[in-house]
Amino acid sequence: MLYVTAGVSIPDSEIELSAVRSQGPGGQHVNKVSSAIHLRFDVKQSSLPELFKQRLLRLSDQRISKEGVIVIKAQTTRSQEKNRQEALDRLVQLLVEVSYTPKARRPTKPTKGSQRRRMDKKTLHGKQKSLRSKVSPD
């Protein structure tokens, strides 16, 4: 079980982990070991709450395909186990971000005093700028 929040967890059977060869330079040993991890998680077929599924599918994240499959590739370390843990941590982080409901913004109005101060300041600034103009010969 992968625990996301207090009430939400994902069974291991819904997460598909596969070891693949890591990219980049690595010397003679690189072609013999599969240390990178590909994590695949199908959002639509998962046991997540509907709210989580909707929010995940609405995200414009490049890791989520059009079919609703999250694909995470972890290859930062040389250890397969550490990469596996990193991929699972990234999945949990993505799900935790979706679990929070953003606070609704309540529009506010400026006070009469702040409006008056703003207008007074604009008037003073205008007067100051007018004093910089050329003096007319009278």
Side-chain angles (χ1 to χ4, degrees):
M1 277 292 214
L2 182 67
Y3 295 99
V4 180
T5 60
V8 179
S9 59
I10 303 170
D12 292 334
S13 60
E14 293 181 3
I15 301 170
E16 180 187 325
L17 293 167
S18 57
V20 293
R21 288 189 183 147
S22 193
Q23 294 176 332
Q28 298 167 344
H29 193 59
V30 73
N31 296 324
K32 293 189 265 181
V33 280
S34 300
S35 60
I37 296 290
H38 261 170
L39 180 144
R40 295 178 63 83
F41 178 68
D42 192 352
V43 176
K44 293 179 180 175
Q45 302 297 323
S46 69
S47 61
L48 286 173
E50 277 302 314
L51 182 68
F52 277 57
K53 289 181 185 181
Q54 290 170 359
R55 288 182 181 172
L56 272 172
L57 295 173
R58 242 185 284 136
L59 279 179
S60 61
D61 195 320
Q62 64 185 15
R63 297 173 290 185
I64 303 172
S65 68
K66 292 176 185 171
E67 294 81 32
V69 178
I70 298 174
V71 179
I72 296 174
K73 184 173 184 181
Q75 60 180 8
T76 53
T77 65
R78 292 171 64 180
S79 165
Q80 189 181 85
E81 186 55 40
K82 286 180 183 176
N83 284 334
R84 181 182 169 282
Q85 189 59 48
E86 182 189 348
L88 291 171
D89 290 344
R90 282 199 244 162
L91 177 64
V92 168
Q93 182 183 8
L94 184 65
L95 294 171
V96 166
E97 286 175 19
V98 176
S99 69
Y100 292 118
T101 306
K103 193 175 179 181
R105 183 191 175 278
R106 291 201 331 251
T108 58
K109 292 182 180 177
T111 62
K112 293 279 186 193
S114 69
Q115 286 178 349
R116 194 177 326 104
R117 283 190 299 273
R118 183 175 143 264
M119 288 298 144
D120 292 344
K121 189 175 177 182
K122 282 172 71 94
T123 309
L124 280 172
H125 192 62
K127 285 180 184 174
Q128 192 175 29
K129 288 180 78 142
S130 68
L131 290 174
R132 293 185 199 139
S133 64
K134 291 183 179 178
V135 181
S136 61
D138 284 333

